[in-house]
């Protein structure tokens, strides 16, 4: 080859290298610029990322069991004297049973699981009125016990027939048994327990369980759940779970009952999942509610570099997403665009941990831990109605300032709060609203730094939407000081008798969860401590729930 040709070849190679380097620089620069100015995803993109759908996996697996119970309802040899009995009828709820029998005359049935002490018996009346075929769903059994259950059959004629049966149960599983419950206060005459209420310990992970006033476990599910156990239509519950215990992905949402029967099931793409630490991930991360049309409204991550700042409405019929609310499109860009990414590379600028629906004006109330902020949004228009946080009104863009609530004297500024709930407003004044939340009192971005970390508390507020003011009306927890301070998680709910049940969920950095019930004057009537709950299995929320309510009816012959 000639020297001239070699020089031409060398020049060409150098030119190609320079072009390649230039293109690479351009692509990197373009990529960096695009990432830095990334806009919120479109609704279509978010729907595609979550890829929600309705499936029948678990219901199909349960068909054989249900068919067995259907046959039992038509078998005339199963009478009150010789009933069909199945403990743990669907294999996931070991402290329940199904009893089936027929009577020659129409009758109604009630039962009592005999408690080990005063006011710990569980009594229920089977819904459906007078019938000749009876399917009795029994809940509230003790573990590792031969339980005494008293059946009462009342004929239409008024005659009452009684029968006692014995139901044997097995031992508690490892992660329930190791979560030692100690009750230091239990005034059963003042607690809101009625004839059949238990306290559900809704854990961050592992099996959820429920305890009575003595602290004894009376229900648990072998389905591991994460964060989400919500009361649903017909006395059912919605539970976020996973396909198998060894999996790290909680992306299966099931509508089930306390017996473990699955009625509906939804799944989601794992590509949008996020984590608050560790390897376990989830799409629906903190809260879920049922809308009046029975659709689901859930807190999710959208699949972008931002997480836990989006809500989606999911059709209960199809499992498809019908509405998306991206909080990046509602709040100032300055809040989310400059927020630093966490260890997982995701930007958790809002960290939504609560949704509540207000039927009086078709709106939703939400809580954002990482902005120390609560707000109300018109669900039809997706416009903000009010905002409360420690962020000074003057520091908000002008368009938002009219939406900011002004605290009156001695009103707490929340910090890292959880569990925002709507309370009844007896004045029936359209401009009057009452709410309650669990104030972790940890200043993340806009909380009160002067009190941060000194205590956590349940707080009630009154909001005047005409004056745009917020006033603290009640609180409990400050007197407990640092002992009950919880940097993360927690919940508070008002009971039917006016008491407040408070979950100090991550006490002593997660070594304990402390559930306390107080009366209107702040006097403790119940105090339970859960220890050794295992890693990330502390009490995310505590609910006082009827096992089961008057809307629930088990029928093997209906879906």
């Amino acid at each position: 080859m000639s020297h001239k040709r070699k020089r031409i070849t060398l020049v060409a190679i150098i030119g190609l290298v320079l072009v390649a380097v230039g293109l690479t620089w351009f692509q990197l620069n373009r990529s960096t610029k695009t990432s830095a100015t990334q806009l919120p995803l479109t609704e279509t993109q978010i729907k595609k990322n979550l890829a929600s759908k309705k499936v029948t996996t678990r219901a199909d697996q349960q068909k054989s069991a249900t068919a067995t119970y259907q046959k039992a309802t038509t078998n005339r040899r199963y009478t009150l004297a010789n009933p069909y009995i199945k403990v743990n009828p669907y294999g996931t709820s070991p402290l329940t049973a199904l009893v089936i029998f027929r009577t020659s005359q129409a009758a109604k049935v009630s039962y009592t699981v005999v408690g080990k002490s005063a006011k710990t018996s569980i009594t229920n009346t089977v819904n459906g009125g007078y019938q000749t075929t009876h399917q009795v769903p029994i809940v509230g059994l003790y573990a590792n016990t031969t339980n005494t259950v008293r059946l009462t059959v009342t004929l239409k004629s008024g005659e009452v027939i009684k029968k006692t049966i014995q139901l044997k149960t097995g031992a508690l599983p490892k992660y329930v048994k190791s979560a030692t419950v100690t009750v230091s206060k239990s005034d059963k005459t003042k607690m809101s327990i009625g004839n059949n209420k238990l306290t559900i310990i809704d854990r961050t992970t592992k099996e959820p369980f429920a305890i009575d006033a003595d602290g004894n476990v009376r229900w648990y599910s072998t389905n591991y759940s994460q964060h989400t156990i919500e009361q649903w239509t017909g006395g059912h519950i919605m539970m976020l779970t996973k396909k198998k215990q060894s999996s790290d992905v909680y992306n299966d949402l099931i509508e089930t009952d306390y017996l473990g029967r699955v009625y509906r099931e939804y799944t989601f793409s794992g590509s949008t999942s996020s984590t608050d630490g560790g390897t376990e991930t989830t799409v629906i991360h903190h809260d879920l509610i049922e809308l009046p049309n029975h659709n689901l409204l859930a807190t999710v991550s959208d699949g972008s570099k931002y997480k836990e700042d989006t809500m989606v409405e999911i059709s209960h019929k199809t499992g498809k997403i019908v509405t998306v609310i991206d909080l990046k499109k509602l709040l100032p860009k300055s809040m989310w665009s400059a927020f630093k990414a966490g260890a997982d590379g995701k930007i958790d600028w809002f960290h939504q941990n609560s949704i509540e629906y207000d039927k009086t004006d078709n709106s939703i109330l939400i809580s954002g831990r990482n902005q120390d902020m609560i707000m109300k949004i018109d669900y039809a228009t997706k416009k903000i109605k009010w905002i409360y946080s420690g962020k000074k009104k003057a520091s908000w863009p002008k368009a938002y300032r009219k939406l900011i609530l002004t605290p009156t004297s001695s009103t707490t500024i929340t910090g890292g709060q959880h569990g925002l709930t709507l309370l009844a407003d007896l004045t029936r004044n359209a401009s009057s609203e009452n709410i309650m939340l669990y104030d972790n009192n940890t200043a993340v971005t806009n909380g009160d730094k002067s009190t941060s970390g000194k205590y956590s508390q349940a707080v009630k507020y009154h909001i005047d939407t005409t004056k745009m003011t917020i006033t603290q009306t009640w609180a409990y927890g400050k007197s407990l000081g640092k002992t009950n301070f919880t940097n993360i998680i927690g919940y508070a709910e008002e009971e039917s008798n006016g008491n407040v049940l408070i979950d100090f969920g991550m006490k002593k950095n997660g070594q304990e969860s402390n559930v306390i019930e107080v009366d209107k004057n702040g006097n403790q009537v119940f105090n339970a401590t859960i220890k050794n709950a295992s890693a990330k299995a502390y009490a995310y929320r505590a609910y006082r729930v009827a096992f089961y309510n008057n809307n629930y009816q088990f029928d093997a012959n209906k879906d």
Side-chain angles (χ1 to χ4, degrees):
M1 183 183 290
S2 68
H3 292 296
K4 184 176 180 181
R5 181 174 288 182
K6 286 182 179 179
R7 284 197 299 271
I8 293 173
T9 302
L10 182 61
V11 169
I13 291 171
I14 293 171
L16 288 171
V17 170
L18 290 172
V19 169
V21 170
L23 285 171
T24 301
W25 176 88
F26 173 76
Q27 289 170 343
L28 288 171
N29 185 60
R30 183 183 179 203
S31 176
T32 303
K33 185 176 181 182
T34 302
S35 178
T37 58
Q38 183 181 11
L39 297 175
L41 301 180
T42 64
E43 185 169 317
T44 300
Q45 286 174 313
I46 293 172
K47 288 180 178 179
K48 184 178 180 181
N49 288 346
L50 270 70
S52 62
K53 61 182 179 180
K54 185 179 177 182
V55 295
T56 59
T57 307
R58 287 173 171 81
D60 290 343
Q61 293 169 349
Q62 293 182 347
K63 280 183 177 179
S64 176
T66 299
T68 298
Y69 309 141
Q70 289 171 345
K71 289 179 182 178
T73 64
T74 60
N75 192 327
R76 293 186 178 277
R77 73 183 181 90
Y78 292 127
T79 63
L80 181 59
N82 179 42
Y84 174 90
I85 299 174
K86 178 65 175 176
V87 174
N88 193 12
Y90 285 97
T92 59
S93 191
L95 303 186
T96 68
L98 179 62
V99 176
I100 298 173
F101 60 90
R102 296 171 65 90
T103 52
S104 58
Q105 298 180 45
K108 59 182 180 180
V109 179
S110 64
Y111 71 87
T112 294
V113 178
V114 179
K116 292 182 178 180
S117 68
K119 295 187 178 297
T120 58
S121 294
I122 300 293
T123 297
N124 279 305
T125 297
V126 179
N127 289 320
Y130 290 92
Q131 299 183 27
T132 55
T133 299
H134 309 281
Q135 301 177 60
V136 185
I138 293 175
V139 299
L141 303 176
Y142 290 92
N144 203 26
T145 300
T146 298
N147 292 262
T148 298
V149 179
R150 294 171 180 160
L151 298 172
T152 300
V153 177
T154 304
L155 304 179
K156 261 193 173 180
S157 62
E159 181 184 354
V160 176
I161 307 170
K162 296 181 180 291
K163 180 177 176 59
T164 298
I165 58 176
Q166 305 293 323
L167 302 180
K168 180 71 173 72
T169 55
L172 294 173
K174 175 183 176 182
Y175 292 119
V176 177
K177 185 178 181 179
S178 63
T180 308
V181 180
T182 302
V183 175
S184 60
K185 179 76 174 180
S186 180
D187 189 339
K188 299 171 188 175
T189 62
K190 295 180 180 179
M191 291 174 64
S192 180
I193 51 177
N195 292 321
N196 63 358
K197 289 184 179 179
L198 301 174
T199 304
I200 292 181
I201 307 301
D202 175 10
R203 302 205 277 179
T204 47
T205 61
K206 304 294 190 294
E207 302 101 329
F209 61 91
I211 58 175
D212 62 17
D214 291 340
N216 288 313
V217 175
R218 306 289 294 275
W219 174 86
Y220 70 92
S221 173
T222 59
N223 286 314
Y224 280 28
S225 71
Q226 188 178 69
H227 285 156
T228 304
I229 298 176
E230 297 294 332
Q231 302 306 299
W232 222 249
T233 296
H236 295 170
I237 54 176
M238 295 296 296
M239 182 188 300
L240 185 66
T241 186
K242 52 186 179 179
K243 288 181 173 59
K244 54 184 178 179
Q245 290 182 351
S246 60
S247 172
D248 282 336
V249 183
Y250 287 84
N251 280 353
D252 293 357
L253 183 66
I254 59 173
E255 179 182 342
T256 183
D257 60 18
Y258 294 124
L259 267 63
R261 184 181 183 184
V262 175
Y263 298 87
R264 288 186 176 88
E265 181 179 357
Y266 310 89
T267 63
F268 305 85
S269 166
S271 64
T272 56
S273 62
S274 62
T275 178
D276 287 331
T279 59
E280 293 177 323
T281 63
T282 180
V283 172
I284 298 176
H285 52 82
H286 277 86
D287 208 1
L288 175 78
I289 61 170
E290 182 177 20
L291 295 170
N293 61 2
H294 302 305
N295 283 355
L296 302 71
L297 182 62
T299 60
V300 299
S301 295
D302 63 10
S304 72
K305 64 180 181 180
Y306 300 97
K307 72 175 186 178
E308 302 189 6
D309 63 357
T310 304
M311 288 171 280
V312 292
E313 180 182 340
I314 302 164
S315 168
H316 73 286
K317 294 180 179 179
T318 67
K320 299 297 183 182
I321 295 171
V322 295
T323 301
V324 175
I325 302 177
D326 185 347
L327 295 172
K328 293 186 291 294
K329 296 179 181 180
L330 268 67
L331 290 165
K333 185 177 180 180
S334 58
M335 278 187 168
W336 51 268
S337 62
F339 208 91
K340 292 182 179 180
D344 61 354
K346 297 284 188 176
I347 300 173
D348 190 13
W349 67 279
F350 194 76
H351 195 96
Q352 185 181 353
N353 56 31
S354 184
I355 324 173
E356 178 85 333
Y357 181 77
D358 186 350
K359 64 182 180 180
T360 64
D361 60 359
N362 188 31
S363 63
I364 55 173
L365 297 94
I366 69 172
S367 164
R369 179 187 188 274
N370 287 353
Q371 292 296 327
D372 303 315
M373 183 174 76
I374 59 174
M375 58 193 292
K376 192 173 192 182
I377 302 169
D378 185 299
Y379 195 67
T381 65
K382 308 302 184 287
K383 294 185 181 297
I384 299 170
K385 303 190 78 167
W386 55 252
I387 297 172
Y388 182 51
S389 81
K391 185 177 173 67
K392 301 299 182 184
K393 186 181 291 189
S395 67
W396 287 86
K398 289 184 179 179
Y400 290 85
R401 293 176 190 173
K402 62 182 179 180
L403 305 173
I404 309 302
L405 297 177
T406 300
T408 59
S409 178
S410 301
T411 293
T412 301
I413 294 171
T414 65
Q417 72 292 317
H418 285 73
L420 176 62
T421 59
L422 185 69
L423 303 177
D425 182 62
L426 300 179
T427 67
R428 297 186 179 180
N429 186 333
S431 64
S432 177
E433 298 176 4
N434 294 308
I435 60 173
M436 181 167 66
L437 54 79
Y438 179 81
D439 179 18
N440 294 80
N441 191 29
T442 180
V444 184
T445 52
N446 300 299
D448 188 345
K449 293 181 180 179
S450 67
T451 64
S452 180
K454 294 182 178 179
Y455 58 87
S456 297
Q457 61 181 356
V459 190
K460 293 182 182 181
Y461 296 101
H462 172 74
I463 297 170
D464 186 324
T465 56
T466 299
K467 297 178 180 178
M468 291 300 283
T469 58
I470 182 168
T471 302
Q472 182 173 317
T473 58
W474 182 91
Y476 180 83
K478 187 175 181 178
S479 62
L480 303 178
K482 284 189 176 182
T483 301
N484 275 58
F485 170 72
T486 59
N487 182 54
I488 61 172
I489 69 173
Y491 194 68
E493 68 172 16
E494 189 172 69
E495 305 305 325
S496 56
N497 65 353
N499 289 355
V500 175
L501 187 72
I502 310 167
D503 169 37
F504 296 89
M506 198 174 176
K507 185 178 172 181
K508 296 183 179 180
N509 293 319
Q511 296 178 47
E512 299 179 4
S513 294
N514 190 195
V515 179
I516 298 175
E517 181 180 353
V518 295
D519 64 19
K520 297 175 183 178
N521 298 316
N523 300 308
Q524 291 190 17
V525 298
F526 179 69
N527 189 318
T529 296
I530 301 105
K531 295 183 179 180
N532 305 316
S534 79
K536 291 200 71 181
Y538 23 74
Y540 171 63
R541 290 180 175 178
Y543 302 114
R544 183 65 54 70
V545 177
F547 272 69
Y548 34 79
N549 68 40
N550 293 330
N551 297 318
Y552 173 67
Q553 183 177 7
F554 178 89
D555 191 340
N557 297 302
K558 293 182 180 179
D559 293 332

